[in-house]
Amino acid sequence: MSFTSMSSTVPSLFFFLIVIFNLFISAKSWPLSQDNKIQEQDKDPFVGFNIGTDLSDLPPPTELVKFLQTQKVNHIRLYDADPDMLKALAKTKIRVIISVPNNQLLAIGSSNSTAASWIGRNVVAYYPETLITAISVGDEVLTTVPSSAPLLLPAIQSLYNALVASNLHTQIKVSTPHAASIMLDTFPPSQAYFNQTWHSVMVPLLQFLSKTGSPLMMNLYPYYVYMQNKGVVPLDNCLFEPLTPAKEMVDPNTLLHYTNVLDAMIDAAYVSMKNLNVSDVVVLVTETGWPSQGDTKEPHATIDNADTYNSNLIKHVFDRTGTPLHPEMTPSVYIYELFNEDKRAPPVSEASWGLFHGNTTPVYLLHVSGSGTFLANDTTNKTYCVAMDGVDGKTLQAALDWACGPGRANCSEIQPGESCYQPNNVKGHASFAFNSYYQKEGRASGSCDFKGVAMITTTDPSHGSCIFPGSKKVGNRTQTVVNSTQVAAGETSSRSLSRGFCVSMMILVTCVLLSFW
């Protein structure tokens, strides 16, 4: 080939190589950009759940993890480091805080080797397949087991040193949850301070949290604020309900307006830290919630109030409005709790903090529309009302008669010869009638009870040609709206990649042709 023809071919060849290189880089960087996107999402405020185990029908770990995935729950806190649960969480992208129970503080706080062994057994053995994000050391130690207070910081430091030795100290934070009662004079927030009794613990602890970039974990319950200050704190302020300006709480020192009690409690924690010369530690709300049932001394522990509090809490976090003192920072929260713990000792409210029963049916329905697909028991998704198992036929028949009579449910489909007549038994007919009434009432709170013989389920009870009211099924075909949306998004991404690849191939072919022109 002559020098002239070579010189005319080189630019085309050079362009050809650039295109190949760009295709290669694009293919390599796409997964990385996805990973970066996931990491960015992790920095956003989130709502997680505490999972207690003091219940009679806790699902096995593998089923529990599937349930979490169905509910789009991506952050949980355990009160231990159960190995079966940590195994089940592997490769699920569910972030988990594991815990050192209070009864293990003595061993870990007095022995570096014991702390190292604990990290090896409960963290190194599972991370990174299981996404452990933090270790909560003890729970409300200063107020529940004050005799263990001298061991708290040594235990935290020993565990941190073990993480350093395993090169995991930047990925996994170490802290300890506190009760709100370690703060005094919490309203107005500008006057709050930590109980001086615990300064010998709190000062070095806060210095440790600042140095390691770990959060101050706080268990904050507006419910107890209301119970202890009846007549002083309005219920609406505790429930995140909309307030007129006259009802907003105003800090006279800062003139900041507080529309809810939780924000005031969080800002009280920030002020308390600032009074000890710490201003770079974020607050993580490790527990908050509202009980759905109580005894006669707790009349405000109701399903409606629990629904209102937790629904508004979730909206508040996802709105990312921060607090009056720190509007630029929205704390993440862990709701207490996922399941009702029916084995808890009295009062009644102790067993009634959960959003779900142990059999995974909802205790009540959250109203969190606009918060994405988080929590499938949201009323924006489909729920149904069916007859409970184990109820005698006479009681079910009475409830069925009421639903089809005074309740004015549409019971035409369970008449002889109609599509839902089979199976011809009282339980099947009652489920259809209960659900017909429930859907007619707009799935309102309390519309699926029937004197305790009905329950809410997220499983569509339709079968064959029998389509229950509210179902997305058409004949034997189910249209799953959420999944179809996700598939459509996936197809869009695939189409975008395909278009990009085709364009690049067209350029490549053009370059080759030009080189031989």
Side-chain angles (χ1 to χ4, degrees), residues 160-181:
Y160 177 76
N161 291 338
L163 287 174
V164 171
S166 299
N167 199 29
L168 295 175
H169 57 292
T170 58
Q171 299 98 313
I172 300 171
K173 304 303 180 182
V174 186
S175 189
T176 182
H178 300 284
S181 57

Side-chain angles (χ1 to χ4, degrees), residues 159-419:
L159 291 167
Y160 177 76
N161 291 338
L163 287 174
V164 171
S166 299
N167 199 29
L168 295 175
H169 57 292
T170 58
Q171 299 98 313
I172 300 171
K173 304 303 180 182
V174 186
S175 189
T176 182
H178 300 284
S181 57
I182 67 166
M183 300 183 293
L184 301 178
D185 290 351
T186 53
F187 198 88
S190 59
Q191 296 179 185
Y193 60 94
F194 288 121
N195 188 330
Q196 294 180 358
T197 304
W198 302 117
H199 276 197
S200 61
V201 176
M202 291 304 298
V203 171
L205 173 62
L206 290 173
Q207 291 171 347
F208 169 85
L209 298 179
S210 174
K211 178 183 175 182
T212 60
S214 300
L216 175 68
M217 296 178 170
M218 297 294 300
N219 297 343
L220 304 176
Y221 289 95
Y223 172 75
Y224 289 125
V225 172
Y226 179 76
M227 291 294 293
Q228 294 160 10
N229 297 275
K230 288 180 181 177
V232 178
V233 180
L235 182 62
D236 284 350
N237 295 59
C238 295
L239 296 175
F240 296 91
E241 288 288 71
L243 302 174
T244 61
K247 289 187 176 182
E248 292 178 356
M249 303 173 289
V250 181
D251 187 322
N253 300 313
T254 62
L255 299 182
L256 292 173
H257 286 239
Y258 286 87
T259 58
N260 66 83
V261 172
L262 184 65
D263 279 354
M265 298 176 82
I266 292 169
D267 278 355
Y270 280 119
V271 172
S272 298
M273 285 193 284
K274 189 174 181 180
N275 286 333
L276 295 180
N277 299 314
V278 174
S279 57
D280 59 350
V281 172
V282 301
V283 172
L284 174 65
V285 181
T286 37
E287 287 183 16
T288 191
W290 199 283
S292 60
Q293 187 178 359
D295 55 29
T296 54
K297 295 181 180 179
E298 297 181 279
H300 296 282
T302 66
I303 282 180
D304 284 343
N305 286 343
D307 176 11
T308 300
Y309 179 81
N310 285 321
S311 295
N312 287 340
L313 168 68
I314 292 168
K315 292 176 188 175
H316 187 62
V317 173
F318 288 168
D319 282 347
R320 301 175 66 171
T321 53
T323 65
L325 186 61
H326 287 291
E328 79 284 2
M329 293 190 299
T330 299
S332 296
V333 304
Y334 287 82
I335 291 176
Y336 184 84
E337 57 187 329
L338 191 65
F339 297 115
N340 272 349
E341 294 186 86
D342 60 311
K343 290 184 178 180
R344 298 293 294 258
V348 173
S349 61
E350 280 297 299
S352 307
W353 291 85
L355 271 68
F356 296 89
H357 298 289
N359 63 5
T360 70
T361 58
V363 176
Y364 54 88
L365 297 173
L366 290 174
H367 294 71
V368 291
S369 58
S371 298
T373 57
F374 179 66
L375 286 177
N377 83 345
D378 176 14
T379 50
T380 57
N381 291 308
K382 293 299 180 183
T383 52
Y384 309 88
C385 181
V386 296
M388 295 179 70
D389 294 328
V391 179
D392 66 273
K394 186 176 180 181
T395 304
L396 271 182
Q397 185 64 55
L400 169 60
D401 293 341
W402 184 91
C404 294
R408 302 181 69 181
N410 182 359
C411 298
S412 59
E413 293 299 310
I414 54 176
Q415 301 306 312
E418 298 299 330
S419 58

Side-chain angles (χ1 to χ4, degrees), residues 35-44:
D35 289 343
N36 290 337
K37 190 174 181 181
I38 291 171
Q39 290 172 4
E40 286 299 314
Q41 290 172 346
D42 292 342
K43 294 177 183 178
D44 293 336

Side-chain angles (χ1 to χ4, degrees), residues 93-173:
K93 296 184 180 179
I94 296 174
R95 275 69 175 155
V96 56
I97 294 178
I98 59 175
S99 301
V100 176
N102 288 344
N103 59 14
Q104 294 182 22
L105 286 176
L106 176 60
I108 292 175
S110 56
S111 170
N112 290 333
S113 61
T114 301
S117 176
W118 195 95
I119 292 295
R121 187 171 63 253
N122 298 301
V123 177
V124 176
Y126 303 103
Y127 190 88
E129 285 77 13
T130 298
L131 298 176
I132 300 168
T133 59
I135 302 169
S136 59
V137 184
D139 190 34
E140 301 185 352
V141 174
L142 302 185
T143 50
T144 58
V145 282
S147 60
S148 297
L151 296 166
L152 184 57
L153 193 58
I156 289 173
Q157 289 174 326
S158 294
L159 291 167
Y160 177 76
N161 291 338
L163 287 174
V164 171
S166 299
N167 199 29
L168 295 175
H169 57 292
T170 58
Q171 299 98 313
I172 300 171
K173 304 303 180 182

